[in-house]
Amino acid sequence: NGSRIPTPPGAVAVDLHPCPGSQYDSCWDATVLHLPTARGVDLRWTLMHELGHVFDDRVLSAADRAAFRRVIRYSGAWTTGDEPAGERFAEAYAGCALYARPPYGGLLGQYGYSAGPETFRRVCELIRRAAGRARAAPRYEVRSGRSARTPR
């Protein structure tokens, strides 16, 4: 899958259509990531962001979430508000998955997330440590229209 960090354990289906019944183009539920393929969508970033939510759900402990908040110096709620910590985690996960080090000037994500080199390194290490507890490799099923395939 091209990720530079561990991905969440278990199977994750990917539906290449916008999130049904939602104001958001992309979203995830317990078993499916919904990713739009419209022009201008960074599909790799969006995929890794949504996988970050799955990683959060399946791997992170309350202690991991508290550690993430400390590293990024943010005390806001995890799932509520305009810029929840959980969305910031998904942005951080996408950055760690796609970059060996932050782009020049730091990583600037959505939801108020930004990381300079030291924060980037610490967050990626936190993700790797958390993943050490859940090593199973995921399977991906990609659905587009009526066909489905499972890459190996």
Side-chain angles (χ1 to χ4, degrees), residues 1-7 44 48 95-101 128:
N1 65 18
S3 178
R4 294 178 175 276
I5 56 173
T7 51
R44 289 184 66 218
M48 293 304 168
C96 293
L98 296 174
Y99 301 110
R101 53 188 151 297
R128 286 184 186 95

Side-chain angles (χ1 to χ4, degrees), residues 32-118:
V32 180
L33 303 181
H34 300 277
L35 306 174
T37 57
R39 185 181 304 268
V41 172
D42 184 340
L43 194 55
R44 289 184 66 218
W45 183 273
T46 304
L47 170 63
M48 293 304 168
H49 173 99
E50 297 304 332
L51 277 177
H53 288 301
V54 178
F55 189 92
D56 171 16
D57 182 62
R58 295 182 183 178
V59 176
L60 292 187
S61 66
D64 294 327
R65 291 183 187 99
F68 175 75
R69 282 192 188 102
R70 282 192 303 275
V71 168
I72 68 167
R73 298 176 185 192
Y74 183 72
S75 61
W78 194 261
T79 58
T80 59
D82 291 336
E83 297 179 342
E87 291 295 343
R88 290 176 181 217
F89 175 79
E91 288 290 281
Y93 183 93
C96 293
L98 296 174
Y99 301 110
R101 53 188 151 297
Y104 180 77
L107 182 65
L108 298 174
Q110 295 181 344
Y111 304 100
Y113 180 73
S114 64
E118 181 60 17

